[in-house]
Amino acid sequence: MTNVKTKIFPNRNFPLRRPSLQKEDAQISIDRWFSSNPARFEDLRVQNLQAPKSSGVANETWLVETIRRTPINKIEAPGPRLVFRLAADDFLYPRSDLRLHYDLYDCLGSISDLPVPEMLAFEEDPSFLGCRFFVMTHVEGFAAPDRPNFNYDGWLADYSVGDREAVWREAVSVMSRLHAVDVSRLTPLKLDEFSSRGGVRDCLDYWIAYADWCGAAGINLISLATDWLEENLPLTIEQRAGISWGDARLQNLLFDGTRCSAILDWDMVSLAGAEADFAWWTVADHKYTASRGLPRLEGIGSPAETIALWESMSGRELKNFDWHLVFAAFRQALISQRLVALSGTNAAATQIPHEPSIGLQWLSCLLDIRVEFTVTLPFVGLDK
């Protein structure tokens, strides 16, 4: 057992993304953009707009209700509901490129039956909203909430056990279909600027560089984990290449009833395969349930049950999952470190962390490294 000193994060604020524009300014700017696009949007204007109630960290989003002005008598009629997604270069992720999100949604919509929003326009000109942005159709549905976590409150907690199980099974079905996509047809992931994200080796390289970028490389526990991941990297022949959604969580799926209406958020997309997704799913699940000694919602399967269901749907087994669990904890620890660095910035609203991240705590457990903080979120196995 190795004994290391690890920086214990102070009791500081974790950020949520704060809108870069006031609501009134955003409405004026979007109306101006509508007028500048006569082929498709000139007759539209904003009737109402709002940020999502459960706003995330990586990107800024506006939900826009529109009205349509008829060309002859100017009578106003209901227009489409739209979503404006704004760029967030180097906020939470280095080398973040909104264009990848747009192209990936568009590609998946054309080559698969996955539920993705229709892409309508990509705007390169930052003069409208202060940055690049894209526009997509609004999709009906609800995401499982983060705050409070869906295991404690919200629409999913109000569902019957049978409906919760249907939601869980639908989520796993969507992931099995995503992981079955032929990676040779995922042309957005073959762009030169994203080639370093291809495969497990290159995905690891990205996150090692992330550790330097976010200032975590000097933390002893991160350094030891980096060495372990390098030394135990799965051989390419043992690791099936495939798309990894990245931020694979129930909260990043929209549901209309028990049907998944959209899969969202591609900030962490790579070609590291399904294994990376289910390791991340496990961390996200246990953060609010098993690692805290709390039950998950009845009807939602454990990580072991989720993996077994996916394997039965996909017809193959996950490989090298122990390595991917460490990799998922490593990534979570790095993102948490970046969130600490962002705390208190003008771009952030806040909530207060009161313990070291689950990523750091799991690294100490999975790698059997003694640390100076108290482990309050232990790894307790996949079947919990």
Side-chain angles (χ1 to χ4, degrees):
M1 179 179 291
T2 305
N3 185 17
V4 301
K5 288 187 176 181
T6 300
K7 177 182 177 182
I8 300 177
F9 296 142
N11 194 25
R12 297 176 62 187
N13 293 334
F14 272 11
L16 298 177
R17 193 62 188 260
R18 191 189 300 278
S20 58
L21 293 173
Q22 295 295 320
K23 183 176 179 179
E24 296 78 9
D25 294 333
Q27 179 168 339
I28 292 170
S29 296
I30 291 173
D31 276 336
R32 184 164 61 89
W33 183 78
F34 283 153
S35 298
S36 72
N37 287 270
R40 195 164 193 177
F41 302 104
E42 185 182 30
D43 62 339
L44 296 182
R45 69 175 182 177
V46 176
Q47 183 177 43
N48 185 37
L49 82 164
Q50 61 181 359
K53 292 181 180 179
S54 181
S55 180
V57 177
N59 291 281
E60 182 179 345
T61 301
W62 289 102
L63 308 179
V64 180
E65 296 179 11
T66 68
I67 52 177
R68 191 182 299 278
R69 297 167 295 179
T70 60
I72 298 176
N73 53 17
K74 304 296 184 182
I75 295 175
E76 295 180 346
R81 299 174 70 189
L82 305 173
V83 177
F84 281 64
R85 191 74 181 267
L86 279 60
D89 296 341
D90 291 347
F91 183 76
L92 188 58
Y93 301 101
R95 306 203 313 267
S96 176
D97 187 351
L98 196 71
R99 184 80 209 196
L100 174 64
H101 293 235
Y102 183 89
D103 290 342
L104 194 55
Y105 278 126
D106 202 38
C107 179
L108 288 171
S110 66
I111 70 171
S112 75
D113 65 348
L114 287 165
V116 293
E118 180 186 359
M119 298 295 103
L120 300 178
F122 191 95
E123 181 56 67
E124 295 279 0
D125 187 350
S127 67
F128 294 101
L129 293 173
C131 61
R132 301 188 306 163
F133 61 89
F134 69 78
V135 185
M136 58 185 172
T137 56
H138 179 274
V139 176
E140 295 294 334
F142 296 95
D146 260 326
R147 303 172 183 86
N149 183 263
F150 66 85
N151 282 283
Y152 310 150
D153 196 13
W155 62 268
L156 192 57
D158 293 336
Y159 270 19
S160 68
V161 174
D163 283 346
R164 289 182 211 143
E165 182 176 352
V167 165
W168 168 66
R169 287 181 171 274
E170 173 76 347
V172 179
S173 174
V174 168
M175 292 175 71
S176 71
R177 285 147 53 197
L178 171 66
H179 296 136
V181 171
D182 182 356
V183 295
S184 68
R185 302 181 68 189
L186 292 171
T187 53
L189 294 182
K190 294 183 178 296
L191 297 175
D192 289 343
E193 58 264 38
F194 294 102
S195 63
S196 63
R197 296 191 186 187
V200 176
R201 169 73 260 179
D202 290 336
C203 189
L204 176 59
D205 287 344
Y206 172 87
W207 286 98
I208 291 173
Y210 187 108
D212 284 325
W213 176 75
C214 75
I219 297 175
N220 288 341
L221 188 51
I222 295 297
S223 178
L224 290 171
T226 301
D227 291 343
W228 186 93
L229 289 166
E230 290 272 21
E231 292 167 4
N232 294 276
L233 183 70
L235 297 175
T236 302
I237 195 171
E238 297 176 350
Q239 178 69 52
R240 179 170 176 162
I243 187 172
S244 169
W245 175 15
D247 196 2
R249 300 180 296 140
L250 200 58
Q251 296 94 318
N252 283 331
L253 297 170
L254 293 184
F255 286 91
D256 186 3
T258 60
R259 178 187 65 86
C260 179
S261 55
I263 179 171
L264 304 173
D265 289 342
W266 301 95
D267 293 288
M268 295 168 61
V269 67
S270 73
L271 294 176
E275 288 80 1
D277 280 345
F278 284 100
W280 189 259
W281 179 284
T282 300
V283 175
D285 175 275
H286 275 199
K287 181 178 179 180
Y288 294 100
T289 59
S291 287
R292 295 191 184 277
L294 298 173
R296 73 177 49 79
L297 280 177
E298 188 178 357
I300 307 296
S302 68
E305 291 167 332
T306 301
I307 291 168
L309 179 59
W310 180 89
E311 289 179 339
S312 70
M313 290 178 173
S314 301
R316 74 175 183 91
E317 295 182 356
L318 297 180
K319 303 291 186 182
N320 307 301
F321 200 66
D322 289 346
W323 186 92
H324 279 279
L325 276 177
V326 176
F327 188 33
F330 179 75
R331 289 178 285 153
Q332 201 283 336
L334 295 180
I335 290 173
S336 294
Q337 178 72 8
R338 175 60 178 167
L339 292 176
V340 168
L342 290 170
S343 298
T345 65
N346 290 334
T350 57
Q351 67 180 43
I352 299 175
H354 56 274
E355 60 196 345
S357 69
I358 189 173
L360 280 179
Q361 297 197 46
W362 275 29
L363 287 177
S364 71
C365 295
L366 293 168
L367 300 180
D368 194 24
I369 297 172
R370 183 181 293 122
V371 290
E372 293 191 338
F373 57 75
T374 300
V375 174
T376 57
L377 296 170
F379 175 70
V380 294
L382 298 177
D383 58 347
K384 300 295 186 181

